[in-house]
Amino acid sequence: MLNGEGLGEHVDLASDLLAAGVEVIFRSIEELAIDIGPERVRIRETVNGRDLADFGLVQVFAYHRPTATLLNALADYLAVKGVRAVNVAGIGAPTKLFKYVRLANRGLSIPSTIYLPPRLLPGAYHDLAMRLDLPFVLKTVTGSRGDGRTSLVGSEGAFTEKFRDADHARGFLAQELVPPGGSYFLLVLGGHVSFALQHRSIGGGGLLAKSGWEDATLVDSQSLDPEAQETAVQAATSLGYDIAGVHLVRHWTTGQWCVLDVSPNLPIGSGGYTAEMVSAYSAYLKRRLTDPDQADSNGLLDPDVTGLRAQS
């Protein structure tokens, strides 16, 4: 039972249920931690360390902060684990945390990511450094709103500084910095990679950049690694996005493609390479409007991703 502390004071309820073989645990939303790794997720309560997947039912009684921030991620995890949920509906805009949980639940590779309750995070530097290595990335759970809160952390002093004058209720994610052997922004339109940029600067700063148009080179999407294209399309599909920008990085030692971000909020019509992006978007609209029920069965390497071929 989450956020049901008042009900937990009624000892008769727990006693009656226990007599029937049902154990009831009351926890606050601020006692949940989320560990996300390549192709795996674990959500646990931090009092006894029990995985929520081990419970038969999870119910939310109230929605004080940061409940709404975590609810999408919690709902997706419980659904994948087959745990019955009561009043745990995925509401609100998709947060970074939700996206990472959904992508990992669907078997996609993402950087190892840790969410800790706001009250526990400030004292967790040494544990995070051991689990994620140094430097690691610290970012807000929700959008950064251009406030510069996504940054590299390489020392305990830098970590502590991030929490001064911060709104802890928003929550932070600590994330592994993937050693980059290539960084790309791929525009997925209707199940196809229709536009691709390669970031020339792939150091830590380049990975943290929001757009990076000025240090990116337009590349032919047909020349991209098919696995990168497939990963981008799977990422967009996993989140239910027919239109999405996907930021991928290739791990320099394993060669595996890792998803850093998936966003439906695209700068089409602004920023760099405007003409090329608008052209790709126009071709997408033509395909969708000509045949709105079209199944994307032609595959990722459909030669008509530019939309130049006449539709029948």
Side-chain angles (χ1 to χ4, degrees), residues 44-186:
R44 58 186 171 86
E45 52 88 9
T46 58
V47 178
N48 295 323
R50 294 178 59 175
D51 194 317
L52 265 62
D54 296 333
F55 290 85
L57 180 147
V58 173
Q59 180 174 353
V60 175
F61 280 91
Y63 299 91
H64 58 69
R65 295 180 70 185
T67 307
T69 301
L70 305 184
L71 215 51
N72 279 334
L74 181 60
D76 197 77
Y77 182 71
L78 296 177
V80 167
K81 296 299 183 180
V83 177
R84 183 181 177 187
V86 177
N87 293 350
V88 186
I91 61 175
T95 63
K96 296 173 188 174
L97 180 60
F98 164 74
K99 292 176 184 179
Y100 291 135
V101 167
R102 169 63 65 85
L103 294 170
N105 275 335
R106 300 307 184 272
L108 288 156
S109 179
I110 66 164
S112 295
T113 304
I114 297 172
Y115 168 85
L116 290 174
R119 63 182 178 81
L120 296 182
L121 187 57
Y125 171 77
H126 294 288
D127 180 60
L128 293 174
M130 181 179 64
R131 295 169 64 182
L132 301 176
D133 206 352
L134 290 174
F136 60 83
V137 180
L138 194 66
K139 58 177 66 175
T140 54
V141 173
T142 55
S144 63
R145 301 183 298 185
D147 58 11
R149 292 188 181 177
T150 298
S151 60
L152 286 177
V153 172
S155 67
E156 187 171 9
F159 183 76
T160 303
E161 182 68 24
K162 297 300 295 184
F163 297 98
R164 293 179 181 175
D165 303 320
D167 180 3
H168 291 185
R170 293 182 64 201
F172 286 88
L173 300 176
Q175 188 173 78
E176 168 196 13
L177 179 65
V178 177
S183 179
Y184 290 84
F185 169 83
L186 304 183

Side-chain angles (χ1 to χ4, degrees), residues 215-240:
D215 72 339
T217 303
L218 186 67
V219 298
D220 181 4
S221 60
Q222 295 300 302
S223 67
L224 286 173
D225 182 352
E227 186 177 340
Q229 297 195 53
E230 181 179 1
T231 299
V233 171
Q234 288 178 347
T237 302
S238 295
L239 290 163

Side-chain angles (χ1 to χ4, degrees), residues 184-189 192-198 213 217-222 224 229 244-246 272-281 305:
Y184 290 84
F185 169 83
L186 304 183
L187 180 60
V188 178
L189 300 174
H192 301 288
V193 174
S194 301
F195 172 89
L197 291 177
Q198 181 177 15
W213 304 116
T217 303
L218 186 67
V219 298
D220 181 4
S221 60
Q222 295 300 302
L224 286 173
Q229 297 195 53
V246 182
Y273 302 100
T274 301
E276 291 84 356
M277 291 189 73
V278 170
S279 177
Y281 181 61
V305 293

